Amino acid sequence: MYQVVPGGAGGTITDVIPKQKLSKDTRPLVGAGVIGLVLVIAAVTAWCYYIASLRKAELLKTELLDLNKDGYIIRNQGGSIVFRMDFRSGTLDLDSCSKEGEILSCVRTTDRKLIFFIETVRPKDTVQCYRVRWEEVVPDIPVEHAMTYKFAHWYGGAVSAVQHWPISISGQQAPKPFVTSDIYSNRDEFGGILESYWISSNATAIKINNSVPFHLGWNDTEKTMYFQARYNDSSFKPNPGEMPCAELSYRVCVGSDVTSIHKYMVRRYFNKPNKVPAEVMFRHPSWSTWALHKTDIDQEKLLTYAANIRKYNFNCSQMELDDGYSRHYGDFEFDPVKFPNASAMFHKLKSDDFMVSLWIHPFVNHDSENFHTCVERGLFVREPTGQLSALVRWWNGIGGILDFTNPETRDWFASQLRSLRSRYGVSSFKFEAGEANYLPWKFKTLESIRDPSIFTRRYTEMASLYNDRAEARSGYQSQNISCFFRPIDRDSVWGYELGLKSVIPAVLTISILGYQFILPDMIGGNAHVNRTYGNRGLPDRELYIRWLELSAFMPSMQFSIPPWEYGDDVVEIARKYTALHESLVAPRVLELASEVLSTGDPIIRPVWWIATGDETAYKIDSQFLIGDDLMVAPVLEPGKQERDIYLPAGHWRSYKGERFDIKEPLHLTDYPVDLDEIAYFLWV
């Protein structure tokens, strides 16, 4: 060792260890130590990140929902994925997300601010709901989420020209406005009865909020439906004074089975009718002039039609005098050439115990005497500036469309109907059209409406005064209007495109959407020459009979092509089924109709209503239930006098008297059904 002697600058004596030069043998040990220290630091850092990621993952879970930057999934109580939604309008910045109680929220995407949250709601033990909201804070940016539908079968939405049950999606469609449309004229659009509500076979339901500027698209390759909110390049408009910032908000609810979740959604979100229509409308058929005479109707033909109804001993709840009774569209008076003495005609019909309903619509054509009055008083929907009445084209010409958001328009229209009723004793009205697709682009109404389908709602409200016997073909948020709702006209063909096979899927669809008092259109269809399976200008005889048998098990029946056009044997079949409708079907329907006022449950029900766990039941589109105890299985194929029938487990008796006491579902293969028969089974 060395020693420092006193007297130096330090003034102290200190022992020191001299530095020694490392040998070559010790250098690897030091290097290994450094590497080890780095590895320890890395491991600690990784552990910290892992703990942080676990905390973030835990943060982004709420009950049975898992959120990630690109979307979310929902599981049922058993742990299975039942719902998946992907975000197509942005990627969430997960560092901007937080959780407080039952609300999980985020305030940014990777490139912009937003308002986003998912709130968990537990309304009852068997139901779990999630409120989802994505709101843009910058104008004209669309919001789009993509729902995967491959996990289940889906039902609801809207009637369509090609109607299937469950929904059958084909091709690709960019999101387009989800608004009411006339699918007879525009077969690729959404139908006239429409609600932004869907349910699935795995007990999941989604309801889009009514405030959303909602657009719907799909891609069958990706198995996704696109839910989009936007104002840009759209018929939707923000409220006055609001910026066009899109908001997509909706609820997703998961239940224990498809029937129970639908019951919950209907009770929670749908309007209910306030009364049951006239009992006679359920018991006896109505008779329309349309398919038989089209617009070529006159006084003599109407009286002859009525006389034949009595001649062949049929009951009649009311006669519908359809299109063609006025000189111009928009006149509320009878054409004096076609109807030279309308008062005497109505007196004759009344003396023969006929109630008469008139076809009516929201258009006033330019050649009508009322056109000038409507322009001067501002009763029409206006063009975008609001300065001028808008002209629209519809299937019967060009004219104005009445603005039913305007109280003066409603009063004027109602006064015209009252006049017809007081002068002639008209019983009610058939409210034709009303779909939003007839509104001009960027239209202007007195009451600003952000959703074009609200026009449909305002029009159907005009039926409220006549709801004992009234009929409407369009509906949106209109379930509380207690009239008969009719899916749009059918063609006289067998298939799924507005044909016989489309009737059950269409009726089931509007039932699920909350419309229970249903008139399934005329027996045999419209009988248009170029859209009719048959000859002599009549629907095919077999098609007509099968259509008649199916209609007998619907809430109401309507003839237009009369059975005597086919001969005495068809008249006898018609008498048989109108009698069966009155004795067997109508009492059940009326009992169920009274329950609708409080529950909203369907009168016409899908087979899965009582077989919720059966994959086969989810796909059946040619059978249905009336309530829970009457199963109907019509023949819907040409040339067939047999069909396969599915019976859920239970105790059934066939219309032939056969008993089926079964603990498992039963498939009856090639069950014989003669041409004058329809297969039905009663729960015993």
Side-chain angles (χ1 to χ4, degrees):
M1 309 178 62
Y2 297 93
Q3 187 178 39
V4 179
V5 298
T12 59
I13 299 174
T14 307
D15 292 334
V16 298
I17 299 175
K19 294 180 180 179
Q20 298 180 0
K21 191 173 182 180
L22 294 174
S23 68
K24 292 182 179 180
D25 293 337
T26 60
R27 289 176 184 175
L29 295 175
V30 174
V34 172
I35 293 172
L37 180 61
V38 171
L39 291 174
V40 170
I41 293 171
V44 171
T45 302
W47 177 257
C48 292
Y49 275 112
Y50 174 68
I51 295 298
S53 65
L54 286 178
R55 289 174 178 169
K56 176 61 72 175
E58 187 62 30
L59 170 69
L60 299 181
K61 291 178 180 289
T62 173
E63 293 293 337
L64 299 169
L65 181 146
D66 295 348
L67 175 69
N68 60 61
K69 62 185 177 66
D70 297 315
Y72 62 90
I73 61 171
I74 298 174
R75 294 182 171 87
N76 61 17
Q77 294 291 341
S80 300
I81 295 175
V82 294
F83 189 83
R84 174 179 168 179
M85 189 74 88
D86 296 323
F87 305 142
R88 290 172 56 91
S89 49
T91 301
L92 291 179
D93 177 358
L94 298 185
D95 290 331
S96 77
C97 300
S98 61
K99 185 178 181 183
E100 183 175 348
E102 301 292 349
I103 299 178
L104 198 162
S105 60
C106 307
V107 296
R108 289 191 58 83
T109 66
T110 54
D111 62 355
R112 64 184 183 274
K113 293 181 179 180
L114 86 160
I115 299 170
F116 172 83
F117 72 81
I118 298 177
E119 179 183 8
T120 303
V121 182
R122 288 181 294 273
K124 55 190 300 187
D125 291 342
T126 58
V127 177
Q128 181 89 2
C129 292
Y130 305 90
R131 292 178 58 223
V132 183
R133 180 180 179 188
W134 179 306
E135 181 181 353
E136 294 290 344
V137 297
V138 177
D140 295 327
I141 296 179
V143 182
E144 186 173 315
H145 292 180
M147 184 190 80
T148 300
Y149 62 80
K150 65 182 178 182
F151 296 119
H153 306 290
W154 285 86
Y155 315 89
V159 293
S160 58
V162 180
Q163 195 84 56
H164 291 282
W165 179 271
I167 295 170
S168 177
I169 296 175
S170 61
Q172 289 80 42
Q173 172 62 56
K176 60 183 180 179
F178 191 68
V179 298
T180 56
S181 299
D182 175 359
I183 53 173
Y184 198 81
S185 301
N186 305 283
R187 301 205 172 193
D188 292 329
E189 299 300 317
F190 305 113
I193 300 175
L194 164 152
E195 303 290 336
S196 53
Y197 167 73
W198 292 264
I199 58 170
S200 77
S201 57
N202 61 14
T204 306
I206 180 168
K207 176 69 176 70
I208 310 297
N209 288 359
N210 294 334
S211 60
V212 172
F214 184 55
H215 297 65
L216 180 66
W218 55 83
N219 186 317
D220 69 340
T221 303
E222 299 176 357
K223 305 300 180 188
T224 53
M225 294 171 64
Y226 304 139
F227 296 165
Q228 186 188 80
R230 78 167 192 264
Y231 291 110
N232 188 35
D233 190 31
S234 172
S235 54
F236 287 86
K237 296 175 286 189
N239 288 327
E242 290 185 359
M243 297 293 289
C245 295
E247 168 203 324
L248 181 58
S249 55
Y250 52 90
R251 286 191 183 230
V252 180
C253 293
V254 181
S256 57
D257 62 76
V258 61
T259 301
S260 63
I261 193 62
H262 177 67
K263 286 184 175 183
Y264 167 77
M265 298 297 286
V266 168
R267 285 157 176 74
R268 177 68 179 81
Y269 296 111
F270 286 3
N271 295 319
K272 310 297 184 299
N274 50 37
K275 62 180 294 188
V276 177
E279 181 177 319
V280 69
M281 296 292 293
F282 295 96
R283 291 194 180 277
H284 298 158
S286 62
W287 298 74
S288 169
T289 61
W290 172 249
L292 181 63
H293 293 297
K294 307 296 190 296
T295 59
D296 188 26
I297 185 67
D298 58 34
Q299 184 167 326
E300 181 181 353
K301 290 176 181 176
L302 182 62
L303 291 173
T304 300
Y305 193 38
N308 280 330
I309 295 172
R310 292 290 181 246
K311 174 184 175 182
Y312 289 97
N313 297 316
F314 285 100
N315 289 318
C316 176
S317 59
Q318 68 180 14
M319 288 189 63
E320 281 189 356
L321 177 51
D322 211 288
D323 189 359
Y325 63 84
S326 62
R327 289 183 62 195
H328 306 105
Y329 294 103
D331 295 347
F332 292 85
E333 186 51 271
F334 287 88
D335 182 340
V337 176
K338 288 184 170 185
F339 298 88
N341 196 338
S343 296
M345 177 187 73
F346 275 91
H347 180 76
K348 169 63 175 171
L349 291 169
K350 184 178 180 180
S351 67
D352 291 336
D353 294 326
F354 283 102
M355 305 286 280
V356 181
S357 175
L358 289 182
W359 182 81
I360 206 74
H361 53 81
F363 306 102
V364 178
N365 276 10
H366 65 90
D367 54 357
S368 169
E369 292 182 1
N370 287 319
F371 183 81
H372 180 72
T373 298
C374 293
V375 170
E376 288 296 309
R377 294 177 59 178
L379 306 184
F380 287 140
V381 173
R382 295 174 177 267
E383 44 77 43
T385 69
Q387 300 300 308
L388 299 172
S389 297
L391 288 178
V392 299
R393 181 182 295 277
W394 62 299
W395 68 92
N396 277 328
I398 297 174
I401 184 168
L402 292 167
D403 177 7
F404 291 101
T405 75
N406 184 345
E408 189 175 351
T409 301
R410 294 198 297 269
D411 289 345
W412 179 83
F413 187 75
S415 71
Q416 305 302 315
L417 302 190
R418 283 197 303 272
S419 176
L420 286 168
R421 201 172 192 184
S422 62
R423 290 181 64 185
Y424 302 110
V426 172
S427 63
S428 189
F429 297 92
K430 174 182 179 178
F431 289 83
E432 191 77 345
E435 297 90 352
N437 72 294
Y438 286 110
L439 295 168
W441 181 250
K442 299 294 184 181
F443 63 92
K444 190 86 169 181
T445 50
L446 183 67
E447 171 197 324
S448 180
I449 53 177
R450 61 189 301 172
D451 181 346
S453 294
I454 292 296
F455 175 83
T456 299
R457 162 74 192 185
R458 295 289 176 262
Y459 176 57
T460 54
E461 287 171 351
M462 299 304 300
S464 296
L465 294 175
Y466 310 98
N467 54 16
D468 274 357
R469 296 169 174 270
E471 171 191 330
R473 83 171 196 187
S474 58
Y476 176 67
Q477 301 175 29
S478 306
Q479 297 94 336
N480 64 321
I481 299 171
S482 300
C483 67
F484 285 89
F485 284 89
R486 173 179 65 90
I488 203 163
D489 307 44
R490 306 285 114 176
D491 288 328
S492 300
V493 296
W494 289 92
Y496 286 103
E497 183 173 347
L498 297 179
L500 177 59
K501 285 186 180 179
S502 73
V503 173
I504 296 174
V507 169
L508 290 174
T509 296
I510 67 173
S511 294
I512 288 297
L513 298 180
Y515 298 87
Q516 310 308 340
F517 308 141
I518 301 170
L519 176 66
D521 204 43
M522 295 166 287
I523 293 167
N526 263 325
H528 285 301
V529 173
N530 58 339
R531 293 174 176 173
T532 296
Y533 183 87
N535 52 36
R536 296 194 301 120
L538 294 174
D540 175 71
R541 178 178 179 275
E542 181 188 10
L543 174 66
Y544 182 87
I545 292 170
R546 293 305 192 191
W547 209 309
L548 165 62
E549 293 162 353
L550 169 59
S551 294
F553 286 83
M554 289 292 163
S556 58
M557 299 178 70
Q558 186 177 76
F559 286 99
S560 185
I561 300 292
W564 51 84
E565 291 287 329
Y566 294 92
D568 292 342
D569 56 341
V570 177
V571 169
E572 287 305 314
I573 294 172
R575 286 179 183 149
K576 170 184 174 181
Y577 282 101
T578 54
L580 184 64
H581 177 84
E582 182 176 359
S583 63
L584 175 66
V585 178
R588 279 176 167 77
V589 168
L590 284 164
E591 181 180 353
L592 294 164
S594 64
E595 298 174 7
V596 167
L597 306 186
S598 58
T599 68
D601 288 348
I603 292 173
I604 303 299
R605 300 173 180 177
V607 175
W608 52 249
W609 194 265
I610 61 170
T612 56
D614 192 323
E615 175 66 19
T616 299
Y618 296 141
K619 297 180 287 186
I620 292 175
D621 66 352
S622 63
Q623 294 178 221
F624 60 93
L625 293 161
I626 302 174
D628 289 346
D629 64 350
L630 177 54
M631 171 81 73
V632 186
V635 173
L636 305 174
E637 299 276 354
K640 297 287 187 180
Q641 295 197 30
E642 68 282 324
R643 64 155 293 164
D644 295 343
I645 295 172
Y646 167 92
L647 284 181
H651 307 281
W652 299 94
R653 184 180 70 244
S654 78
Y655 68 106
K656 299 177 182 180
E658 305 152 311
R659 288 289 297 255
F660 299 91
D661 297 307
I662 48 178
K663 295 181 179 180
E664 298 290 336
L666 176 65
H667 293 266
L668 302 175
T669 304
D670 291 333
Y671 186 83
V673 187
D674 290 341
L675 181 58
D676 64 346
E677 294 180 329
I678 181 172
Y680 62 91
F681 301 80
L682 291 168
W683 182 277
V684 294

